Amino acid sequence: MADQIPLYPVRSAAAAAAANRKRAAYYSAAGPGPGAERHSRYQLEDESAHLDEMPLMMSEEGFENEESDYHTLPRARITRRKRGLEWLVCGGWQSLCSSCCDWLVHVCQRKKQLKARTVWLGCPEKCEEKHPRNTIKNQKYNIFTFIPGVLYEQFKFFLNLYFLVVSCSQFVPALKIGYLYTYWAPLGFVLAVTITREAIDEFRRFQRDKEMNSQLYSKLTVRGKVHVKSSDIRVGDLIIVEKNQRIPSDMVFLRTSEKAGSCFIRTDQLDGETDWKLRVAVSCTQRLPALGDLFSISAYVYAQRPQLDIHSFEGTFTREDSDPPLHESLSIENTLWASTVVASGTVIGVVIYTGKETRSVMNTSNPQNKVGLLDLELNQLTKALFLALVVLSAVMVALQGFVGPWYRNLFRFLLLFSYIIPISLRVNLDMGKAAYGWLIMRDRNIPGTVVRTSTIPEELGRLVYLLTDKTGTLTQNEMVFKRLHLGTVSYGTDTMDEIQSHLTMSYSQTHSQAASTPPRKMQSSTPKVRKSVSSRIHEAVKAIALCHNVTPVYESRGGVAGETEHVEADQDFSDENRTYQASSPDEVALVQWTESVGLTLVSRDLSSMQLKTPSGQVLTYHVLQVFPFTSESKRMGIIVRDESTGEVTFYLKGADVAMSTIVQYNDWLEEECGNMAREGLRTLVVAKKALTEEQYQDFESRYSQAKLSLHDRTLKVAAVVESLEREMELLCLTGVEDQLQADVRPTLEMLRNAGIKIWMLTGDKLETATCIAKSSHLVSRTQDIHVFRPVTNRSEAHLELNAFRRKHDCALVISGDSLEVCLKYYEHELVELACQGPAVVCCRCSPTQKAHIVKLLQQHTGKRTCAVGDGGNDVSMIQAADCGIGIEGKEGRQASLAADFSITHFRHLGRLLMVHGRNSYKRSAALGQFVMHRGLIISTMQAVFSSVFYFASVPLYQGFLMVGYATIYTMFPVFSLVLDQDVKPETALLYPELYKDLTKGRSLSFKTFLIWVLISVYQGGILMYGALLLFESEFVHVVAISFTALILTELLMVALTVRTWHWLMVVAEFLSLGCYLASLAFLNEYFDVAFITTVTFLWKVSAITVVSCLPLYILKFLKRKLSPPSYSKLTS
């Protein structure tokens, strides 16, 4: 594997130079001679070559002082090179051919190069090049490719192709055997069913696309607003998007009706996160007095070329007509991506990417036709049967002695025995799949389940890997405040009223004090006195109410649209009108909690916020600085000045990992964090620090200076902030719960017991993902969790993989960036190690990464994968998996529409796999093999018949007998096998371990198939030889006896195969028998009616049938007694 890894410089230039000096010293020590020469030849080889020679299992020191590696390096290189002819013979020709083919494919499929672009505001005609239309297209075919496409999908299966050839051969007179309809009717039926099913699916997709493409939007032109369809939007158009409307294409945000010059958008269909994101309008266009002024300025946007990454954007906005020209840099916060929804205000943007070039479309993969594993296995068995058919025909011709036109006889034999491969196999299986789909949708225990892809229900019974999304799939994405811990006292949901009474009391006291005394000076000089519980609660709740990025929003009753200015006085500040907006649902939960205990956030803008106390008094705080949360710092801080007292306070809240070193010494924080995490709560530590005016002024001057520096700006800013983050007073620890979906824990437990490995792929943060993995019992309490450290290059990945390898039975948590690095260099090793672990959690995954992980698992393990998700960001993963399941959730129906199966709750998954997956697979396996047995038995009889009659290529049964045999006489009982079940649904759910057997594929394998072949050969031989032995004078009696015995044998064999009887099965058996007996009256050309009604006929038929079936019944009875299958032990 390591040999195929591209080599990249691993360390910095300085490190590489040092390593080269080391190497030079070693080679020069060898003295002049071959060593020195070698040195000059290899000194240019990169340091990563050293890595290449290294086994993956290696200690950290291996990177520094493993001098011996340099001894092996040059020799290893020399032996690897082969030159000229030797190279060509040793596989060089293969690589030559493949590179030529790759080049041809590249030339044929050369895509348009994506380029950066300059977009003039409101002037689409100024675009230098053509951009794709802004249409959404989920269809697989168009009008011209539909029929060829569907036929190709059908005939790429060996089975169908074989029948097409056989049916076409009947147009050649010399090869004609029987009637044309015996071949063309079943084939036509299969194709008609398939084409109809595909056409309906395709039409539904077309209607869904049409609905999306014809949504109307307002476009701003010189003459005012005009309405345009989504599909007619072009690059450069100025589009107005109202609140709660979907954004039709990727745009740069120019202007909003909100006073603050910013708006919130919902991105759940893009990245799966349900929290709202803040977007900021370009300040130059936001400042313009009126909307129409957008056309009076000359401005353009320079945008980078379209790319996959939804979390980044680079561009510039330039206004040319000002003096000097205004330049403004654009980042991700100035963009509005397609498929997101405007959550506040009305926005105006300029379109920069359309159609195929939008981020959302680039992150979705094309739907592929899925083929079940069972279908592939049956296809393999059909090939084996075809081989047997050719061998049998060749033997017959050889025994004839190759007389006359032997090749024609060979072909006639091939046609005679063509029943070895039954056309009815496809018909029965397709009808079976439809029946399973109908049964799944009718199951009252899993209401609302929809089967969208009817071709793969058996896959549900073969799954080994389940890849699930987190937000909305495992969790409800509803945050609830559960616990407040003050060090000595802890409050849970049932004791929140105590907090409320403490708070009311303390605010009424401070209110009365404030009325009597002037604002006090800072208390920094007074000695520390142990505070009362009441004052500690007061401080903690105030900190939680102030330290956040939440904005309260009031829905205006009048429904004002457009860019109307709201007057503060008109706004309704009543409680039922208020909703909170923030980029994190945790923060909203905290602020909603402070409201519930009496301290309410009533308004906030960039410079101040107002709190309402339990008594109704409004307190104003000036926001001096805000330090936002980042994934590196893991904390967010705010500095506020109380308007009434003038006190400056620095509040900080964050993850316990980051905060434990910042707060003053205490003995309870670590333990309590652990306790809360075990309960599945997300913890935040809240701390504060009082600042004097001088301290704050000093900080502010250093902070603003750091923000202006050109080099290492982020490092300098972080250093200044860290100077404040010392010896802070610990106020409290909060616990917020992200509620799990109903019955997630028992469902995951059941799936794990069934031998299914569960991977969680989420776009969420590492801490959150780990927390949910624990609380949902995805990782059991006894298991360790290995958090994969962030890696950026090859050597780091190497060390980190080794660290993980040393741990046993350990769940892996890895972020998307680290995963990308590991896959670049150590793809095989990473997948191998991850598959050994009990569970894997990948956080910060983009939609394409999710799909990539699914494909990796399929390639490396060859096992069946299932993906479960509920948002637009899960569509790629669902389409890539062997079996995609969508959940109709809060995040819309995009995932459920793209999936193969759609369910309403995660808990339904257990029954869908354990019961329906099991039944579909077991039934199809039995059905497929039985249909093959039905074809084999008649081919055996034909072979015996031909060999007795001097190897004549004459059919044993003519015309209608053959058609009747495959349809009316045996079809119902054989098809009734789709109602068979080996264990009751309750048992299958109670003992999920039974599912493990299915993944081994023992119900349909070469072993079981050979057993059926032996049964067919035995029965066919007995039936034919018995009839030949017992017929007296006329040949016509052979046909009558053998055919009747054959029908009876088939009906008895169905009875032998059935494990649980259903009343419809009994009806089918008697109906078929009745049909046969009734048709005997009409089949005069084949049967002698006078002979059929005699006793002789009856005993001969009975005798043959008993000999062909009784031994099998005895064997089955003995097998159940001596080595019963696992499920029978449970049911007895």
Side-chain angles (χ1 to χ4, degrees), residues 830-858:
L830 178 72
V831 178
E832 195 182 339
L833 284 174
C835 290
Q836 285 165 10
V840 176
V841 177
C842 298
C843 47
R844 287 274 167 229
C845 273
S846 68
T848 33
Q849 263 180 334
K850 288 185 178 185
H852 186 51
I853 293 169
V854 173
K855 286 175 185 151
L856 273 178
L857 273 179
Q858 289 168 340

Side-chain angles (χ1 to χ4, degrees), residues 119-345:
V119 179
W120 289 84
L121 266 58
C123 306
E125 61 283 349
K126 277 195 186 176
C127 284
E128 289 125 31
E129 52 188 80
K130 233 179 138 192
H131 298 298
R133 285 191 66 211
N134 193 42
T135 50
I136 290 173
K137 187 171 183 290
N138 286 314
Q139 289 162 257
K140 289 185 194 171
Y141 311 102
N142 58 34
I143 280 189
F144 303 107
T145 59
F146 178 70
I147 296 290
V150 174
L151 290 179
Y152 168 73
E153 286 299 329
Q154 282 307 302
F155 291 123
K156 76 177 184 190
F157 280 111
F158 178 76
L159 185 68
N160 297 1
L161 186 63
Y162 168 77
F163 273 104
L164 183 68
V165 174
V166 168
S167 304
C168 291
S169 71
Q170 292 304 290
F171 291 119
V172 180
L175 303 174
K176 191 161 185 276
I177 293 177
Y179 304 104
L180 270 179
Y181 68 81
T182 56
Y183 292 93
W184 279 100
L187 187 68
F189 176 72
V190 173
L191 289 179
V193 168
T194 309
I195 289 174
T196 312
R197 190 178 61 210
E198 277 293 329
I200 293 168
D201 287 354
E202 195 64 7
F203 183 66
R204 282 185 188 148
R205 280 187 215 110
F206 166 74
Q207 281 184 311
R208 285 205 297 272
D209 291 348
K210 191 176 170 189
E211 192 184 327
M212 294 292 273
N213 289 328
S214 52
Q215 284 181 348
L216 289 178
Y217 289 89
S218 299
K219 172 173 146 183
L220 204 62
T221 62
V222 186
R223 292 182 294 284
K225 290 182 192 174
V226 291
H227 284 296
V228 288
K229 280 186 188 172
S230 168
S231 55
D232 294 337
I233 290 173
R234 294 187 295 163
V235 171
D237 281 345
L238 296 176
I239 302 294
I240 301 170
V241 186
E242 304 289 339
K243 183 177 174 181
N244 289 332
Q245 210 177 5
R246 182 183 73 90
I247 294 170
S249 55
D250 289 355
M251 310 199 292
V252 165
F253 183 16
L254 299 178
R255 203 178 162 85
T256 171
S257 58
E258 300 282 298
K259 270 199 316 234
S262 60
C263 79
F264 282 99
I265 58 169
R266 293 201 293 272
T267 60
D268 48 13
Q269 290 300 337
L270 192 63
D271 58 12
E273 294 184 34
T274 49
D275 42 350
W276 296 7
K277 306 284 188 296
L278 186 74
R279 292 290 183 260
V280 183
V282 175
S283 59
C284 173
T285 48
Q286 179 66 24
R287 284 197 306 265
L288 295 173
L291 254 185
D293 295 342
L294 284 170
F295 284 99
S296 63
I297 65 169
S298 165
Y300 63 83
V301 169
Y302 173 78
Q304 64 181 153
R305 66 188 182 84
Q307 57 183 31
L308 282 168
D309 188 1
I310 52 177
H311 299 297
S312 72
F313 173 73
E314 286 171 15
T316 49
F317 177 89
T318 307
R319 181 174 172 180
E320 283 199 323
D321 54 356
S322 65
D323 191 40
L326 278 174
H327 297 286
E328 202 172 320
S329 76
L330 303 176
S331 68
I332 185 70
E333 59 180 19
N334 307 110
T335 61
L336 303 166
W337 293 147
S339 296
T340 57
V341 176
V342 178
S344 64

Side-chain angles (χ1 to χ4, degrees), residues 847-914:
T848 33
Q849 263 180 334
K850 288 185 178 185
H852 186 51
I853 293 169
V854 173
K855 286 175 185 151
L856 273 178
L857 273 179
Q858 289 168 340
Q859 287 161 13
H860 284 274
T861 63
K863 299 280 195 287
R864 304 318 264 178
T865 55
C866 170
V868 188
D870 70 321
N873 62 316
D874 303 318
V875 170
S876 300
M877 161 172 92
I878 284 172
Q879 288 177 342
D882 296 304
C883 172
I885 298 176
I887 297 179
E888 288 196 17
K890 289 183 183 159
E891 298 187 17
R893 296 183 59 214
Q894 207 170 336
S896 81
L897 290 173
D900 306 310
F901 301 91
S902 160
I903 56 180
T904 49
H905 297 286
F906 186 80
R907 64 168 185 268
H908 291 171
L909 199 60
R911 189 176 176 88
L912 187 66
L913 303 189
M914 300 300 124

